[in-house]
Amino acid sequence: MIYHLVTPLKEADVLKLRAGDQVFLSGVVYTGRDAAHKRMVELVEQGKPLPFDVMDQVIYYVGPTPSKPGAVFGSGGPTTAGRMDAYAPLLLSLGLRGMIGKGYRQQSVKDAIVENKGVYFGAIGGAGAYISQCVESCEIIAFDDLGPEAVRKLVVKDFPLTVIIDSEGHDLYEIGRENYLKEHNNGDS
């Protein structure tokens, strides 16, 4: 299926998605990689507020290149999501609804996605310049000292994504591998 969704994502938005669905996402998306995630988790542990309310929000694992003159956002392809696996379950438990990255996730993240009715989207690796065309505005909101890894508030329009792990825990990477093996082994595993 193909969906056009607008953030903030509500539980009902996520529950209808299935691994393999295509999504064109519009609205506010926040950015952050491992250094920013580490700081956010430290803030939670210290009882301090996060730089943004994560409830029903989506975070994009990206560290964009500097913007060219006249551009809103530099090239920004997805970062390998596994680097955020130590931090994602806590943020999901606080209401984070979606994550955008590339690559596999650990079982602890999959479990947190199911428990908190979240979703993990895959963005196109190697297409950072294309993705940047979907960004209408960009503002650094926290951890400016981290440079490309600072937390940014983006406004995106029709950001192309694929559902990799849905709210029921179905994982497109696993499904694809199983289908490949079935096809190439005539059903024998």
Side-chain angles (χ1 to χ4, degrees):
M1 297 285 296
I2 297 174
Y3 293 96
H4 291 264
L5 298 176
V6 177
T7 63
L9 289 184
K10 298 300 182 189
E11 185 176 309
D13 295 324
V14 170
L15 292 178
K16 66 185 174 186
L17 299 174
R18 294 292 169 259
D21 286 347
Q22 301 297 301
V23 172
F24 291 92
L25 189 65
S26 297
V28 172
V29 172
Y30 294 91
T31 70
R33 291 189 350 181
D34 43 323
H37 276 70
K38 182 176 187 237
R39 286 192 187 175
M40 288 192 291
V41 167
E42 288 170 349
L43 288 172
V44 171
E45 290 170 347
Q46 296 166 7
K48 295 179 180 175
L50 290 172
F52 65 96
D53 181 1
V54 297
M55 182 59 69
D56 294 329
Q57 298 302 326
V58 175
I59 194 160
Y60 179 28
Y61 304 147
V62 64
T65 64
S67 301
K68 292 182 179 178
V72 173
F73 189 71
S75 180
T79 296
T80 302
R83 294 169 53 187
M84 275 55 71
D85 281 1
Y87 314 110
L90 175 62
L91 295 176
L92 285 162
S93 75
L94 297 174
L96 184 70
R97 190 66 64 194
M99 301 160 289
I100 303 169
K102 66 178 180 181
Y104 294 96
R105 304 307 300 263
Q106 292 178 7
Q107 190 60 48
S108 60
V109 176
K110 292 179 190 181
D111 293 343
I113 288 171
V114 172
E115 181 179 336
N116 298 288
K117 298 176 179 60
V119 62
Y120 170 51
F121 296 108
I124 305 164
Y130 172 73
I131 289 171
S132 70
Q133 294 174 13
C134 300
V135 179
E136 295 183 329
S137 70
C138 172
E139 169 190 5
I140 295 175
I141 62 165
F143 315 138
D144 189 32
D145 62 303
L146 294 178
E149 292 198 40
V151 174
R152 289 169 168 76
K153 178 181 178 182
L154 307 180
V155 175
V156 300
K157 182 171 170 77
D158 294 330
F159 186 168
L161 303 167
T162 300
V163 176
I164 303 298
I165 302 172
D166 64 30
S167 62
E168 295 181 0
H170 302 118
D171 185 330
L172 184 61
Y173 294 137
E174 291 175 3
I175 293 166
R177 185 174 189 277
E178 289 168 9
N179 290 342
Y180 176 85
L181 290 174
K182 282 179 189 174
E183 186 177 311
H184 289 81
N185 293 329
N186 295 324
D188 299 330
S189 296

